[in-house]
């Protein structure tokens, strides 16, 4: 597993927005306005050769023209442009990029090379880390980052959320905002071509701003890395997961959505239990977990009360607790 350069994603000092736009309701316009409204204290630099300014902020025609090296960049441009922009950012010194653009998994360049492979090849020499592509974006309340085109903002809190589905992420954002549930970090990882759930579990398991971790996953691509990170994170924090694709029809749908096989439900059940995570069945269950963890506070000390409707159950609960 690797958390290399993820610090540039979670704690950047400057952010560039490639494809920033003044077109109302466009992704580039929404991302710029979300970043400006989020309270980020560092430099926010729009990049678009067609605009002198975006959302009232001086714009730059290219990555090379930026006055400082952006720690993080957000790409909102068409899929075909992404590999070249990744190469430019890597050469400039950027080490974390959120790629919102869709279509890389299906697209190819003029020579027939898949765009995702070309993007990763451009990133590799610079050890540049990529969230996405095809994702909603990244939000972080401790640092005022809203690098997303989500219609909702997040309230500060100590829950971290990771989702492979942008639609699910958007639904959770809307639900949590209405109920006052706060998050430390909120990540939509989309195709997860580079940074995946295992990498983020490894990072968030040690993150001082995060007390609990919630996940929505459709498939796991690097099982050994994921299991190692999940075990480590679950030892210190509650980790709750919805693993979609339980039945064969759902697994087929997940494969078409994420581009990878979902795997056996029984295998996932066993792996999740072994790692010490809690699997829940529905988004409503995940919402309930979020509400419980968001409002609950851990107790300290050695006092424990057992409430039961029968003495035998209380005796067995006491035996089990003592044995553990």
């Amino acid at each position: 597993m690797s958390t290399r350069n993820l610090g540039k994603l979670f704690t950047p000092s400057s952010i560039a927005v490639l494809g920033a736009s003044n077109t109302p309701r466009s992704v580039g316009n929404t991302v710029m306005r979300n970043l400006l409204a989020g309270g980020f204290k560092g430099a926010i630099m729009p990049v678009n050769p067609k605009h002198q300014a975006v959302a009232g902020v001086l714009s730059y025609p290219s990555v090379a023209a930026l006055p400082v090296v952006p720690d993080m960049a957000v790409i909102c441009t068409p899929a075909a442009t992404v590999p070249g922009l990744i190469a430019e950012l890597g050469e400039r010194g950027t080490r974390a990029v959120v790629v919102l653009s869709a279509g890389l998994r299906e697209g190819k360049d003029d020579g027939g090379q898949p765009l995702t492979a070309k993007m990763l090849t451009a990133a590799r020499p610079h050890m540049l880390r990529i969230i996405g592509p095809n994702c909603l974006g990244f939000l972080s309340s401790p640092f005022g980052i809203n690098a997303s085109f989500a219609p909702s903002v997040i309230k500060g809190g100590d829950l971290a959320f990771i989702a492979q589905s942008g639609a699910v992420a958007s639904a959770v954002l809307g639900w949590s905002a209405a109920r006052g549930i706060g998050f430390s970090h909120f990540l939509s990882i989309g195709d997860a071509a580079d940074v995946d759930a295992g990498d983020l579990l490894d990072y968030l398991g040690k993150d001082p701003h995060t007390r609990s971790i919630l996940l929505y996953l459709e498939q796991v691509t690097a099982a050994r890395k994921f299991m190692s990170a999940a075990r480590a994170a679950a030892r210190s924090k509650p980790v709750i997961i919805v693993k979609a694709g339980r039945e064969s029809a759902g697994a087929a749908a997940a494969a078409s959505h994420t581009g990878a096989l979902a795997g056996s439900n029984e295998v996932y059940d066993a792996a999740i239990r072994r790692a010490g995570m809690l699997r829940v069945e529905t988004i409503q269950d995940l919402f309930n977990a979020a509400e419980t963890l968001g409002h609950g506070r851990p107790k300290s000390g050695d006092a424990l009360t057992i409430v039961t409707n029968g003495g035998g159950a209380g005796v067995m609960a006491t035996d089990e607790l003592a044995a553990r």
Side-chain angles (χ1 to χ4, degrees):
M1 77 194 66
S2 175
T3 58
R4 183 187 295 272
N5 288 328
L6 287 186
K8 297 293 185 181
L9 172 76
F10 285 92
T11 59
S13 60
S14 55
I15 301 174
V17 181
L18 282 61
S21 172
N22 285 318
T23 303
R25 294 183 295 280
S26 66
V27 172
N29 182 258
T30 304
V31 170
M32 268 300 295
R33 294 192 179 280
N34 280 350
L35 274 172
L36 291 170
F40 179 64
K41 303 302 183 187
I44 299 173
M45 301 173 289
V47 177
N48 191 321
K50 298 179 181 178
H51 298 299
Q52 185 175 11
V54 176
V57 178
L58 180 66
S59 182
Y60 300 91
S62 65
V63 172
L66 291 171
V68 297
V69 176
D71 283 339
M72 182 179 84
V74 186
I75 296 181
C76 316
T77 60
T81 66
V82 172
L85 292 174
I86 291 290
E88 291 180 42
L89 288 164
E91 289 167 5
R92 188 70 203 273
T94 302
R95 293 296 175 259
V97 177
V98 179
V99 180
L100 306 181
S101 316
L104 274 85
R105 178 158 52 88
E106 303 84 2
K108 295 183 180 181
D109 66 9
D110 293 339
Q113 184 179 4
L115 292 178
T116 297
K118 192 172 181 180
M119 174 188 72
L120 294 175
T121 299
R124 194 169 297 117
H126 311 287
M127 292 180 287
L128 185 153
R129 308 307 307 276
I130 297 170
I131 296 286
N134 187 28
C135 68
L136 183 71
F138 164 63
L139 300 91
S140 175
S141 61
F143 303 99
I145 299 170
N146 186 349
S148 79
F149 59 98
S152 304
V153 298
I154 60 170
K155 178 181 180 243
D158 51 17
L159 297 178
F161 184 76
I162 303 167
Q164 284 181 333
S165 165
V168 169
S170 184
V172 171
L173 273 176
W175 178 90
S176 61
R179 288 161 178 79
I181 303 297
F183 294 91
S184 55
H185 310 292
F186 200 99
L187 298 112
S188 165
I189 59 176
D191 293 346
D194 174 34
V195 176
D196 60 16
D199 296 324
L200 294 172
L201 277 172
D202 192 32
Y203 186 93
L204 294 170
K206 306 179 188 76
D207 176 47
H209 303 286
T210 298
R211 184 168 59 88
S212 308
I213 304 170
L214 308 176
L215 302 103
Y216 169 87
L217 299 182
E218 294 174 358
Q219 48 86 23
V220 173
T221 51
R224 188 184 299 273
K225 175 176 71 172
F226 177 81
M227 287 295 293
S228 178
R231 279 196 298 267
R235 278 197 292 266
S236 59
K237 304 173 183 184
V239 180
I240 301 173
I241 178 172
V242 170
K243 168 58 184 71
R246 296 189 305 272
E247 307 299 333
S248 58
S256 67
H257 184 199
T258 62
L261 293 177
S264 164
N265 187 56
E266 290 77 12
V267 170
Y268 274 108
D269 255 346
I272 289 167
R273 283 196 304 270
R274 182 177 179 85
M277 298 182 288
L278 172 65
R279 183 179 187 179
V280 296
E281 297 297 317
T282 67
I283 293 299
Q284 184 60 54
D285 293 337
L286 195 69
F287 286 167
N288 293 340
E291 192 157 25
T292 301
L293 292 170
H295 292 307
R297 289 293 177 264
K299 303 302 180 185
S300 60
D302 57 2
L304 176 70
T305 299
I306 297 173
V307 180
T308 172
N309 65 349
V315 172
M316 289 188 290
T318 303
D319 285 341
E320 185 68 14
L321 287 165
R324 288 172 180 260

